[in-house]
Amino acid sequence: GAVVSQHPSWVICKSGTSVKIECRSLDFQATTMFWYRQFPKQSLMLMATSNEGSKATYEQGVEKDKFLINHASLTLSTLTVTSAHPEDSSFYICSARDITRAKGYNQPQHFGDGTRLSIL
Amino acid sequence: TQLLEQSPQFLSIQEGENLTVYCNSSSVFSSLQWYRQEPGEGPVLLVTVVTGGEVKKLKRLTFQFGDARKDSSLHITAAQTGDTGLYLCAGVRPYLTDSWGKLQFGAGTQVVVTP
């Protein structure tokens, strides 16, 4: 089945550093990937849509200069949390839309295993 | 406020019992997906329903999409401890409606099945 790989799975770093998270679709091409944030015992909150070859589109309230997204190939999107602070600590999850499995926008999204980010 | 209202928020049952999780909205969705998420992991897709009135079965899990494509339910028969997890419904709004193409998630239902 479709697999999305996310790396790293867990990162701890000091306040002020930048952290890069990778999201790869392993057996399908993904022109669109999504980045979510999840707080404990809560649902997923969409942060941004990553589009291959073009700029990402951000949800309202998400700082694009804080969360840099690059989608340089059909199988890789990266999220960089710049100058991270403790309030950025969270569980970040990416997903990729498999356009081969269905028509239109009913294509299933497959999720990575998430990245636990802890900023000290 | 969330576009998809999921209920109940928490459900604790014993092994062998049945349970139903509901996902309701006042908006129409072109499709609806159900996921299960374990702690520290990403959501895993269980099923996608597309047609109003559609019923899909996955072993002991039965998924239903409302006739008007505004609601869905997940029913688990004879629950097992391995069914424990956070169940999330997520819908895709129709083409050219607000937020089309993006998954709208419900708040989730935490299911705990005890031996």
Side-chain angles (χ1 to χ4, degrees):
Chain A
V3 177
V4 172
S5 173
Q6 197 171 331
H7 178 81
S9 57
W10 193 20
V11 58
I12 303 174
C13 59
K14 292 181 179 180
S15 185
T17 58
S18 293
V19 179
K20 181 185 282 188
I21 304 170
E22 291 187 349
C23 181
R24 293 180 186 274
S25 56
L26 296 185
D27 58 356
F28 64 97
Q29 292 183 333
T31 54
T32 305
M33 292 184 176
F34 300 89
W35 287 96
Y36 296 85
R37 186 171 179 176
Q38 187 177 31
F39 291 103
K41 300 186 187 296
Q42 293 188 25
S43 189
L44 281 70
M45 182 190 76
L46 179 64
M47 298 174 64
T49 302
S50 174
N51 304 297
E52 188 269 335
S54 64
K55 290 183 179 180
T57 53
Y58 291 80
E59 296 300 299
Q60 193 172 10
V62 177
E63 300 176 60
K64 59 181 180 181
D65 294 330
K66 174 76 170 178
F67 300 98
L68 300 179
I69 291 172
N70 184 274
H71 196 148
S73 77
L74 286 171
T75 59
L76 173 64
S77 174
T78 60
L79 168 69
T80 301
V81 183
T82 62
S83 187
H85 288 95
E87 58 266 28
D88 299 322
S89 299
S90 191
F91 192 53
Y92 292 87
I93 308 175
C94 72
S95 72
R97 179 185 283 154
D98 185 352
I99 65 173
T100 65
R101 299 290 179 104
K103 294 181 180 178
Y105 292 93
N106 296 328
Q107 299 133 1
Q109 285 191 27
H110 298 280
F111 287 80
D113 277 339
T115 298
R116 172 73 57 196
L117 176 62
S118 296
I119 308 298
L120 304 177
Chain B
T1 56
Q2 289 191 275
L3 204 57
L4 281 167
E5 297 292 331
Q6 236 181 289
S7 62
Q9 291 184 345
F10 182 81
L11 198 53
S12 179
I13 60 171
Q14 287 193 313
E15 215 169 14
E17 293 182 334
N18 302 331
L19 68 97
T20 303
V21 178
Y22 299 94
C23 186
N24 297 300
S25 178
S26 58
S27 300
V28 173
F29 290 88
S30 61
S31 70
L32 203 137
Q33 300 174 10
W34 284 93
Y35 294 85
R36 182 170 70 212
Q37 185 181 23
E38 310 260 350
E41 298 180 10
V44 174
L45 179 66
L46 297 174
V47 79
T48 300
V49 286
V50 178
T51 307
E54 183 176 6
V55 177
K56 279 192 174 179
K57 291 195 173 185
L58 189 67
K59 296 183 180 178
R60 294 176 295 100
L61 278 60
T62 302
F63 304 86
Q64 188 163 9
F65 201 14
D67 291 340
R69 292 185 292 140
K70 293 182 179 181
D71 55 87
S72 181
S73 64
L74 156 62
H75 182 79
I76 301 179
T77 304
Q80 299 176 357
T81 55
D83 295 325
T84 293
L86 178 67
Y87 289 82
L88 296 158
C89 68
V92 178
R93 292 278 285 137
Y95 184 59
L96 295 181
T97 59
D98 56 296
S99 299
W100 60 274
K102 304 174 187 176
L103 275 181
Q104 305 289 328
F105 276 90
T109 297
Q110 181 63 52
V111 172
V112 176
V113 183
T114 56

mmCIF file of all heavy atoms in Angstrom, chain A residues 47-78:
data_model
loop_
_atom_site.group_PDB
_atom_site.id
_atom_site.type_symbol
_atom_site.label_atom_id
_atom_site.label_comp_id
_atom_site.label_asym_id
_atom_site.label_seq_id
_atom_site.Cartn_x
_atom_site.Cartn_y
_atom_site.Cartn_z
ATOM 1 N N MET A 47 -2.085 23.240 8.583
ATOM 2 C CA MET A 47 -1.254 24.435 8.609
ATOM 3 C C MET A 47 -1.102 25.007 7.197
ATOM 4 O O MET A 47 -1.216 26.209 6.989
ATOM 5 C CB MET A 47 0.136 24.109 9.151
ATOM 6 C CG MET A 47 0.147 23.608 10.578
ATOM 7 S SD MET A 47 1.802 23.094 11.061
ATOM 8 C CE MET A 47 2.681 24.644 10.974
ATOM 9 N N ALA A 48 -0.795 24.123 6.254
ATOM 10 C CA ALA A 48 -0.493 24.616 4.910
ATOM 11 C C ALA A 48 -0.592 23.488 3.902
ATOM 12 O O ALA A 48 -0.482 22.310 4.240
ATOM 13 C CB ALA A 48 0.900 25.220 4.870
ATOM 14 N N THR A 49 -0.790 23.895 2.656
ATOM 15 C CA THR A 49 -0.803 22.968 1.530
ATOM 16 C C THR A 49 0.466 23.197 0.730
ATOM 17 O O THR A 49 0.760 24.331 0.318
ATOM 18 C CB THR A 49 -2.036 23.215 0.650
ATOM 19 O OG1 THR A 49 -3.210 23.071 1.452
ATOM 20 C CG2 THR A 49 -2.088 22.223 -0.508
ATOM 21 N N SER A 50 1.196 22.123 0.524
ATOM 22 C CA SER A 50 2.468 22.181 -0.184
ATOM 23 C C SER A 50 2.258 21.740 -1.626
ATOM 24 O O SER A 50 1.769 20.649 -1.876
ATOM 25 C CB SER A 50 3.463 21.241 0.520
ATOM 26 O OG SER A 50 4.666 21.144 -0.186
ATOM 27 N N ASN A 51 2.595 22.588 -2.564
ATOM 28 C CA ASN A 51 2.373 22.317 -3.986
ATOM 29 C C ASN A 51 3.710 22.188 -4.707
ATOM 30 O O ASN A 51 4.551 23.099 -4.643
ATOM 31 C CB ASN A 51 1.565 23.449 -4.619
ATOM 32 C CG ASN A 51 0.255 23.683 -3.894
ATOM 33 O OD1 ASN A 51 -0.607 22.817 -3.852
ATOM 34 N ND2 ASN A 51 0.100 24.854 -3.305
ATOM 35 N N GLU A 52 3.894 21.084 -5.405
ATOM 36 C CA GLU A 52 5.140 20.849 -6.120
ATOM 37 C C GLU A 52 5.354 21.913 -7.179
ATOM 38 O O GLU A 52 4.461 22.188 -8.000
ATOM 39 C CB GLU A 52 5.121 19.446 -6.751
ATOM 40 C CG GLU A 52 6.448 19.029 -7.362
ATOM 41 C CD GLU A 52 6.570 19.396 -8.819
ATOM 42 O OE1 GLU A 52 5.541 19.540 -9.487
ATOM 43 O OE2 GLU A 52 7.719 19.542 -9.297
ATOM 44 N N GLY A 53 6.492 22.560 -7.122
ATOM 45 C CA GLY A 53 6.854 23.544 -8.127
ATOM 46 C C GLY A 53 6.250 24.923 -7.937
ATOM 47 O O GLY A 53 6.468 25.807 -8.774
ATOM 48 N N SER A 54 5.514 25.119 -6.872
ATOM 49 C CA SER A 54 4.951 26.453 -6.626
ATOM 50 C C SER A 54 4.915 26.725 -5.125
ATOM 51 O O SER A 54 5.247 25.862 -4.315
ATOM 52 C CB SER A 54 3.553 26.569 -7.230
ATOM 53 O OG SER A 54 2.664 25.670 -6.605
ATOM 54 N N LYS A 55 4.507 27.937 -4.789
ATOM 55 C CA LYS A 55 4.506 28.317 -3.376
ATOM 56 C C LYS A 55 3.421 27.577 -2.606
ATOM 57 O O LYS A 55 2.361 27.268 -3.142
ATOM 58 C CB LYS A 55 4.277 29.823 -3.247
ATOM 59 C CG LYS A 55 5.438 30.676 -3.724
ATOM 60 C CD LYS A 55 5.133 32.158 -3.495
ATOM 61 C CE LYS A 55 6.306 33.009 -3.963
ATOM 62 N NZ LYS A 55 6.049 34.466 -3.746
ATOM 63 N N ALA A 56 3.725 27.361 -1.344
ATOM 64 C CA ALA A 56 2.736 26.733 -0.468
ATOM 65 C C ALA A 56 1.632 27.736 -0.141
ATOM 66 O O ALA A 56 1.849 28.944 -0.165
ATOM 67 C CB ALA A 56 3.403 26.266 0.821
ATOM 68 N N THR A 57 0.457 27.223 0.149
ATOM 69 C CA THR A 57 -0.639 28.077 0.601
ATOM 70 C C THR A 57 -0.884 27.799 2.073
ATOM 71 O O THR A 57 -1.009 26.643 2.484
ATOM 72 C CB THR A 57 -1.920 27.824 -0.205
ATOM 73 O OG1 THR A 57 -2.225 26.427 -0.171
ATOM 74 C CG2 THR A 57 -1.754 28.250 -1.636
ATOM 75 N N TYR A 58 -0.941 28.849 2.855
ATOM 76 C CA TYR A 58 -1.025 28.723 4.303
ATOM 77 C C TYR A 58 -2.443 29.005 4.801
ATOM 78 O O TYR A 58 -3.158 29.847 4.242
ATOM 79 C CB TYR A 58 -0.046 29.696 4.966
ATOM 80 C CG TYR A 58 1.408 29.325 4.758
ATOM 81 C CD1 TYR A 58 2.067 29.624 3.571
ATOM 82 C CD2 TYR A 58 2.116 28.652 5.759
ATOM 83 C CE1 TYR A 58 3.391 29.256 3.375
ATOM 84 C CE2 TYR A 58 3.447 28.296 5.580
ATOM 85 C CZ TYR A 58 4.067 28.599 4.380
ATOM 86 O OH TYR A 58 5.384 28.243 4.193
ATOM 87 N N GLU A 59 -2.816 28.303 5.853
ATOM 88 C CA GLU A 59 -4.107 28.555 6.477
ATOM 89 C C GLU A 59 -4.038 29.857 7.286
ATOM 90 O O GLU A 59 -2.955 30.313 7.683
ATOM 91 C CB GLU A 59 -4.500 27.389 7.376
ATOM 92 C CG GLU A 59 -4.714 26.091 6.612
ATOM 93 C CD GLU A 59 -5.800 26.200 5.565
ATOM 94 O OE1 GLU A 59 -6.967 26.476 5.937
ATOM 95 O OE2 GLU A 59 -5.479 26.007 4.372
ATOM 96 N N GLN A 60 -5.207 30.403 7.524
ATOM 97 C CA GLN A 60 -5.272 31.656 8.267
ATOM 98 C C GLN A 60 -4.650 31.493 9.645
ATOM 99 O O GLN A 60 -4.914 30.509 10.348
ATOM 100 C CB GLN A 60 -6.736 32.069 8.414
ATOM 101 C CG GLN A 60 -6.946 33.488 8.885
ATOM 102 C CD GLN A 60 -8.404 33.903 8.819
ATOM 103 O OE1 GLN A 60 -9.287 33.073 8.594
ATOM 104 N NE2 GLN A 60 -8.668 35.175 9.002
ATOM 105 N N GLY A 61 -3.822 32.445 9.998
ATOM 106 C CA GLY A 61 -3.193 32.415 11.317
ATOM 107 C C GLY A 61 -1.858 31.695 11.371
ATOM 108 O O GLY A 61 -1.197 31.712 12.410
ATOM 109 N N VAL A 62 -1.460 31.070 10.288
ATOM 110 C CA VAL A 62 -0.170 30.369 10.262
ATOM 111 C C VAL A 62 0.866 31.279 9.613
ATOM 112 O O VAL A 62 0.670 31.759 8.493
ATOM 113 C CB VAL A 62 -0.279 29.050 9.472
ATOM 114 C CG1 VAL A 62 1.083 28.369 9.402
ATOM 115 C CG2 VAL A 62 -1.317 28.146 10.093
ATOM 116 N N GLU A 63 1.972 31.525 10.329
ATOM 117 C CA GLU A 63 2.998 32.440 9.822
ATOM 118 C C GLU A 63 3.874 31.747 8.790
ATOM 119 O O GLU A 63 4.619 30.815 9.101
ATOM 120 C CB GLU A 63 3.888 32.901 10.985
ATOM 121 C CG GLU A 63 3.162 33.637 12.091
ATOM 122 C CD GLU A 63 4.134 33.958 13.224
ATOM 123 O OE1 GLU A 63 5.121 34.664 12.975
ATOM 124 O OE2 GLU A 63 3.912 33.468 14.349
ATOM 125 N N LYS A 64 3.825 32.233 7.569
ATOM 126 C CA LYS A 64 4.593 31.592 6.504
ATOM 127 C C LYS A 64 6.092 31.793 6.670
ATOM 128 O O LYS A 64 6.894 30.975 6.192
ATOM 129 C CB LYS A 64 4.137 32.077 5.128
ATOM 130 C CG LYS A 64 4.263 33.551 4.906
ATOM 131 C CD LYS A 64 3.746 33.908 3.512
ATOM 132 C CE LYS A 64 3.855 35.388 3.255
ATOM 133 N NZ LYS A 64 3.330 35.759 1.914
ATOM 134 N N ASP A 65 6.497 32.874 7.329
ATOM 135 C CA ASP A 65 7.929 33.096 7.547
ATOM 136 C C ASP A 65 8.454 32.244 8.702
ATOM 137 O O ASP A 65 9.661 32.050 8.835
ATOM 138 C CB ASP A 65 8.205 34.570 7.843
ATOM 139 C CG ASP A 65 7.896 35.457 6.650
ATOM 140 O OD1 ASP A 65 8.025 34.964 5.503
ATOM 141 O OD2 ASP A 65 7.504 36.620 6.856
ATOM 142 N N LYS A 66 7.553 31.772 9.500
ATOM 143 C CA LYS A 66 7.913 30.926 10.633
ATOM 144 C C LYS A 66 7.993 29.460 10.203
ATOM 145 O O LYS A 66 8.859 28.722 10.630
ATOM 146 C CB LYS A 66 6.840 31.086 11.722
ATOM 147 C CG LYS A 66 6.972 30.170 12.905
ATOM 148 C CD LYS A 66 8.080 30.650 13.806
ATOM 149 C CE LYS A 66 8.095 29.903 15.108
ATOM 150 N NZ LYS A 66 9.219 30.340 15.963
ATOM 151 N N PHE A 67 7.061 29.077 9.362
ATOM 152 C CA PHE A 67 6.982 27.688 8.901
ATOM 153 C C PHE A 67 7.223 27.672 7.388
ATOM 154 O O PHE A 67 6.299 27.844 6.599
ATOM 155 C CB PHE A 67 5.614 27.091 9.251
ATOM 156 C CG PHE A 67 5.309 27.070 10.723
ATOM 157 C CD1 PHE A 67 4.519 28.059 11.297
ATOM 158 C CD2 PHE A 67 5.833 26.074 11.535
ATOM 159 C CE1 PHE A 67 4.240 28.041 12.653
ATOM 160 C CE2 PHE A 67 5.562 26.049 12.895
ATOM 161 C CZ PHE A 67 4.761 27.035 13.460
ATOM 162 N N LEU A 68 8.483 27.450 7.027
ATOM 163 C CA LEU A 68 8.865 27.469 5.622
ATOM 164 C C LEU A 68 8.629 26.112 4.989
ATOM 165 O O LEU A 68 9.062 25.090 5.517
ATOM 166 C CB LEU A 68 10.344 27.856 5.482
ATOM 167 C CG LEU A 68 10.736 29.225 6.039
ATOM 168 C CD1 LEU A 68 12.232 29.455 5.861
ATOM 169 C CD2 LEU A 68 9.948 30.330 5.359
ATOM 170 N N ILE A 69 7.965 26.107 3.852
ATOM 171 C CA ILE A 69 7.660 24.859 3.168
ATOM 172 C C ILE A 69 8.279 24.873 1.784
ATOM 173 O O ILE A 69 8.162 25.842 1.047
ATOM 174 C CB ILE A 69 6.137 24.651 3.071
ATOM 175 C CG1 ILE A 69 5.567 24.388 4.462
ATOM 176 C CG2 ILE A 69 5.800 23.501 2.122
ATOM 177 C CD1 ILE A 69 4.067 24.349 4.517
ATOM 178 N N ASN A 70 8.941 23.756 1.467
ATOM 179 C CA ASN A 70 9.535 23.590 0.150
ATOM 180 C C ASN A 70 9.112 22.247 -0.419
ATOM 181 O O ASN A 70 9.218 21.224 0.246
ATOM 182 C CB ASN A 70 11.060 23.657 0.257
ATOM 183 C CG ASN A 70 11.718 23.584 -1.112
ATOM 184 O OD1 ASN A 70 11.962 22.500 -1.635
ATOM 185 N ND2 ASN A 70 11.972 24.725 -1.700
ATOM 186 N N HIS A 71 8.615 22.263 -1.653
ATOM 187 C CA HIS A 71 8.139 21.026 -2.294
ATOM 188 C C HIS A 71 8.889 20.912 -3.614
ATOM 189 O O HIS A 71 8.353 21.210 -4.681
ATOM 190 C CB HIS A 71 6.632 21.131 -2.523
ATOM 191 C CG HIS A 71 5.965 19.826 -2.824
ATOM 192 N ND1 HIS A 71 4.671 19.578 -2.444
ATOM 193 C CD2 HIS A 71 6.390 18.716 -3.452
ATOM 194 C CE1 HIS A 71 4.324 18.360 -2.852
ATOM 195 N NE2 HIS A 71 5.348 17.820 -3.461
ATOM 196 N N ALA A 72 10.145 20.494 -3.519
ATOM 197 C CA ALA A 72 11.051 20.570 -4.658
ATOM 198 C C ALA A 72 10.887 19.435 -5.653
ATOM 199 O O ALA A 72 11.302 19.552 -6.805
ATOM 200 C CB ALA A 72 12.501 20.590 -4.163
ATOM 201 N N SER A 73 10.279 18.334 -5.232
ATOM 202 C CA SER A 73 10.107 17.212 -6.151
ATOM 203 C C SER A 73 8.747 16.580 -5.919
ATOM 204 O O SER A 73 8.031 16.948 -4.987
ATOM 205 C CB SER A 73 11.205 16.169 -5.948
ATOM 206 O OG SER A 73 10.942 15.394 -4.787
ATOM 207 N N LEU A 74 8.394 15.631 -6.772
ATOM 208 C CA LEU A 74 7.082 14.995 -6.666
ATOM 209 C C LEU A 74 6.985 14.009 -5.518
ATOM 210 O O LEU A 74 5.924 13.418 -5.298
ATOM 211 C CB LEU A 74 6.751 14.284 -7.989
ATOM 212 C CG LEU A 74 6.369 15.213 -9.140
ATOM 213 C CD1 LEU A 74 6.274 14.426 -10.437
ATOM 214 C CD2 LEU A 74 5.045 15.915 -8.857
ATOM 215 N N THR A 75 8.089 13.814 -4.807
ATOM 216 C CA THR A 75 8.048 12.867 -3.697
ATOM 217 C C THR A 75 8.547 13.443 -2.380
ATOM 218 O O THR A 75 8.614 12.739 -1.380
ATOM 219 C CB THR A 75 8.894 11.610 -4.012
ATOM 220 O OG1 THR A 75 10.240 12.015 -4.264
ATOM 221 C CG2 THR A 75 8.332 10.846 -5.209
ATOM 222 N N LEU A 76 8.888 14.724 -2.349
ATOM 223 C CA LEU A 76 9.459 15.284 -1.134
ATOM 224 C C LEU A 76 8.949 16.692 -0.850
ATOM 225 O O LEU A 76 8.997 17.580 -1.700
ATOM 226 C CB LEU A 76 10.987 15.325 -1.242
ATOM 227 C CG LEU A 76 11.736 16.037 -0.104
ATOM 228 C CD1 LEU A 76 11.525 15.288 1.213
ATOM 229 C CD2 LEU A 76 13.228 16.142 -0.432
ATOM 230 N N SER A 77 8.472 16.879 0.371
ATOM 231 C CA SER A 77 8.143 18.204 0.880
ATOM 232 C C SER A 77 8.851 18.365 2.214
ATOM 233 O O SER A 77 8.970 17.397 2.981
ATOM 234 C CB SER A 77 6.634 18.365 1.071
ATOM 235 O OG SER A 77 6.328 19.615 1.688
ATOM 236 N N THR A 78 9.336 19.571 2.486
ATOM 237 C CA THR A 78 9.991 19.824 3.764
ATOM 238 C C THR A 78 9.318 20.996 4.467
ATOM 239 O O THR A 78 8.868 21.953 3.833
ATOM 240 C CB THR A 78 11.485 20.129 3.599
ATOM 241 O OG1 THR A 78 11.639 21.296 2.787
ATOM 242 C CG2 THR A 78 12.216 18.964 2.965
#
